[in-house]
Amino acid sequence: MLPKKPIDIKMLVKKMIDEIQDGNLADENGKLPSEQQLMAHYTVSRYALRRALLQLGDMGYIYQAQGIGSFIRPKYHENLLNLQNNVGLTEEIARPGRTIRTVEATQRIVSAKEAEFLPENSGLTSEVQLIEIERLRTLDDEPYLIERSYYLQSIAKEIPAKSLYDSVFNYFEQDKKIKIGFIDKVISSEPLCKQGANFFNLAEGAPTLVVRDDTFLSSGKLLAFSKICYDYRKAELFMFKKTY
């Protein structure tokens, strides 16, 4: 008898987020079904469901009222970007009725010495080969962000062109079976360069909201690092803090 395939907690979380965002999971009071009902609905074990519920709580999608059950948190403004999401930007921002699209993408092989920036204390030697990706992305057909990312070629090997116009995150997680362990984020601001100013239709030197991501495997090995510049007029960031 073949062993059961392990439950992919991340996929379960994504399915639950999709149903929460579609308004199909909770009742009129925002309460989720019982654990038994959810286990049957998703055909998962109690362990997998509880892991997923814990992640949804940490991400700010639900809260648990002791002795009563789990509830959907009140919806936040649609432009808010959840920094605690454990899915890619495409999945996080693509709420019902919203579309994020890559309108221009390029990639090339560069050395660490040629990279525009490097992570702090990365330990990368100047000869390390990187896959550099630059993408211009719109949200609901309006300029939204400019992304420049670097992936270690020794791990990534190659990135199909079609993934540049879809989700690079999904490519690594689903196609390459590369499991991401954790992501460090640094938020800052800086003046727009000419390219960014032209894309966002702002004056050169205008402020831009910047999120730096350093992505690591579960082993702690660096996989990628990126800098995403948002149109400050459209992007707001959200984090959820537990006090218990």
Side-chain angles (χ1 to χ4, degrees), residues 46-97:
R46 187 181 302 275
Y47 170 79
L49 176 65
R50 288 185 172 177
R51 285 281 304 278
L53 290 173
L54 181 63
Q55 287 193 30
L56 289 170
D58 289 341
M59 295 165 68
Y61 282 100
I62 67 172
Y63 68 92
Q64 293 182 320
Q66 190 170 0
I68 302 177
S70 297
F71 292 80
I72 305 297
R73 280 175 53 83
K75 292 182 179 179
Y76 42 80
H77 193 277
E78 65 179 8
N79 282 347
L80 287 180
L81 179 64
N82 186 358
L83 289 178
Q84 293 156 294
N85 81 80
N86 67 341
V87 296
L89 176 65
T90 301
E91 294 81 4
E92 160 62 17
I93 204 67
R95 304 184 181 114

Side-chain angles (χ1 to χ4, degrees), residues 168-186:
V168 177
F169 184 96
N170 273 351
Y171 168 69
F172 282 108
E173 288 272 318
Q174 298 177 19
D175 296 358
K176 296 282 288 185
K177 307 302 180 186
I178 293 177
K179 295 299 181 182
I180 294 171
F182 56 95
I183 302 174
D184 291 341
K185 295 178 183 284
V186 176

